[in-house]
Each structure stands twice: as structure tokens, then as C-alpha cells.
Amino acid sequence: MNNLSLTQSELQRLLKVYFGLVLAVALCFYFVLAFLGYEALTAAWRAISYALTCVTFIVGVFFKLAWRFPRIARWMRRPIVHGVWRGTLSSDYKLGDKAPLEIPIVFVIRQTYLTISIESFTKFQEGESKLEALIQNGRTEATRLSYVFELRRQYQGENKLTTGAGDLRLINDSKHLKGHYWTNSPTFGELQLELISRECDGVDCFEVAERIWPTTSIKSPSA
């Protein structure tokens, strides 16, 4: 089960809207049922039941799908990061006198209005987020995606688990993510990612992304 990625004020606002809608819809059902001749208590009970069912279904569909329309997302001040992102991981890790590593990487971010999950894939390593937060500064409108993750490396007999954290800024009309990460190895580095698709279905490893988008390359966005 994914963690909620809403702030406390956002969650409180959603609960107020939800119960307000239930009350409004229940009143409409009540007047219709009363007009049809139902007793007051029976009409009230049925109206509340119908309202809870209808509003829960509509809100569920909205939170999962409808809010992703760009205009609705901007109106609700909930940036969209859902999709497949591809780019470069630049690490401070060095092997001898060689230059720092630069590795192609793919992020698969699945987002509903309430939750976010992140998977990352390189040729020899995969990871997933354990805690996520989409943070928007109300004064500057800057948006950051922060997360805690685990990496699993299984290569040439090695079976290694690494934990870390990342902090990425959403820039360039929400088409790029750029920022830094840290691990307990200890290593740190920079990530630059470009949105290549809003469709995540079936993208479950680096090879699949490489096969579907073989020529996609990251461009260096300006901060």
C-alpha cells in the first residue's frame, strides 16, 4: 500500500470537500425520495447511503485519473509527475583514476492524486521508493520531488542493498526533473531526467525502456 503524499492541510481540505459533497448529494436524494412518498427516516437513511456510494465512486475516479488533465491539475495546484523519465545519473564514485560515473537511468513514476511511487532502473541496478513527498512552495511556486529509496544490485554474484534519499526539482514546464541524491555507501551525485511518456504500463526494467525509446536522450535543462 502506498503512502499518502499529501500535506496535512491538503488532506484536511479534501476531507471537507468530500463530506460537503456527500451532504449536498444526500439532500438532493432526500428531497427526491420524500417526493416519491418515502417516510422521513427511510428517506434520510437511503439518501445518505446513496450519496456515500455515488460520491466515493466519483471522487475515486477523479483522484486516480481525471485530475491528470493539465488544466485541472493546475487549478488544484497538484503538479503531474506521472510517467516515464529518462536521463543521466552522475555519481562521485570512482574506480581508480577513472572519471566519475555517468550512467543512463530510467525513472517510472506512478501517481494518483493521493499517492506517488517511484521505480528506478539502470543496466545493472534497480530501486524503488519507500517514502515520497511532492512539495510545492506557495510563494515561489517551485516544486520538488523528495523521496527515500532502496537500491538492489545483483551483478556477477554480488547481492547488495543500498538505501538513500533524493531531492529533485520539477522544471521547464514540468518536462524535466533535476537534482541530487545521496546513499549510505556513501556516494552522492546528480540526476537529470526528461519526461518521455505519460504511459507507464509494461515498463518494468531498463531493457524495456531501451527497446521502446532507443534514441531518447536527456538534454541538460537550465535550472
Side-chain angles (χ1 to χ4, degrees), residues 28-39:
C28 293
F29 276 122
Y30 176 80
F31 289 126
V32 171
L33 292 170
F35 177 78
L36 293 175
Y38 284 87
E39 294 182 358

Side-chain angles (χ1 to χ4, degrees), residues 7-8 17 25 38-39 48 58 89-90 104 108 110 113 116 133-134 141 151 160 164 189 202 212 220:
T7 64
Q8 183 177 1
V17 170
V25 174
Y38 284 87
E39 294 182 358
I48 293 173
I58 293 171
L89 179 153
S90 301
V108 178
R110 292 178 172 86
Y113 188 84
I116 298 173
L134 191 61
E141 296 188 355
L151 294 174
K160 183 179 179 182
I212 299 174
S220 297

Side-chain angles (χ1 to χ4, degrees), residues 8-204:
Q8 183 177 1
S9 60
E10 287 174 331
L11 183 57
Q12 289 174 343
R13 185 164 62 247
L14 284 176
L15 290 174
K16 289 178 181 178
V17 170
Y18 175 79
F19 287 112
L21 287 173
V22 169
L23 179 60
V25 174
L27 286 173
C28 293
F29 276 122
Y30 176 80
F31 289 126
V32 171
L33 292 170
F35 177 78
L36 293 175
Y38 284 87
E39 294 182 358
L41 187 60
T42 302
W45 174 254
R46 290 197 175 189
I48 293 173
S49 299
Y50 295 162
L52 284 170
T53 301
C54 291
V55 173
T56 299
F57 175 78
I58 293 171
V59 169
V61 172
F62 178 82
F63 284 166
K64 188 171 180 63
L65 298 173
W67 71 273
R68 288 186 194 162
F69 291 100
R71 290 184 180 179
I72 297 177
R74 283 194 295 269
W75 174 66
M76 298 189 71
R77 300 183 63 80
R78 189 68 174 165
I80 304 174
V81 293
H82 181 91
V84 180
W85 303 73
R86 183 168 176 173
T88 304
L89 179 153
S90 301
S91 172
D92 70 328
Y93 180 77
K94 294 183 180 180
L95 293 173
D97 296 330
K98 294 182 180 180
L101 292 176
E102 288 194 0
I103 303 170
I105 190 170
V106 173
F107 269 40
V108 178
I109 304 178
R110 292 178 172 86
Q111 181 185 19
T112 70
Y113 188 84
L114 299 174
T115 64
I116 298 173
S117 66
I118 304 169
E119 290 183 293
S120 64
F121 303 106
T122 66
K123 191 173 183 179
F124 300 114
Q125 192 166 251
E126 63 182 50
E128 63 179 3
S129 61
K130 298 300 181 182
L131 187 64
E132 313 84 9
L134 191 61
I135 305 166
Q136 191 167 44
N137 189 316
R139 294 177 298 160
T140 64
E141 296 188 355
T143 301
R144 311 193 80 88
L145 176 62
S146 301
Y147 57 97
V148 176
F149 63 87
E150 287 184 351
L151 294 174
R152 293 175 299 280
R153 179 181 173 88
Q154 295 179 324
Y155 177 61
Q156 294 183 346
E158 183 181 17
N159 189 355
K160 183 179 179 182
L161 181 65
T162 303
T163 60
D167 183 38
L168 307 177
R169 186 178 178 187
L170 187 64
I171 58 175
N172 193 18
D173 196 27
S174 300
K175 300 284 179 56
H176 291 87
L177 286 165
K178 181 179 180 181
H180 296 85
Y181 74 93
W182 302 262
T183 75
N184 64 347
S185 297
T187 58
F188 72 93
E190 182 179 84
L191 284 164
Q192 295 191 66
L193 302 166
E194 180 181 8
L195 177 67
I196 55 176
S197 176
R198 291 293 185 192
E199 296 299 324
C200 300
D201 292 346
V203 184
D204 54 7

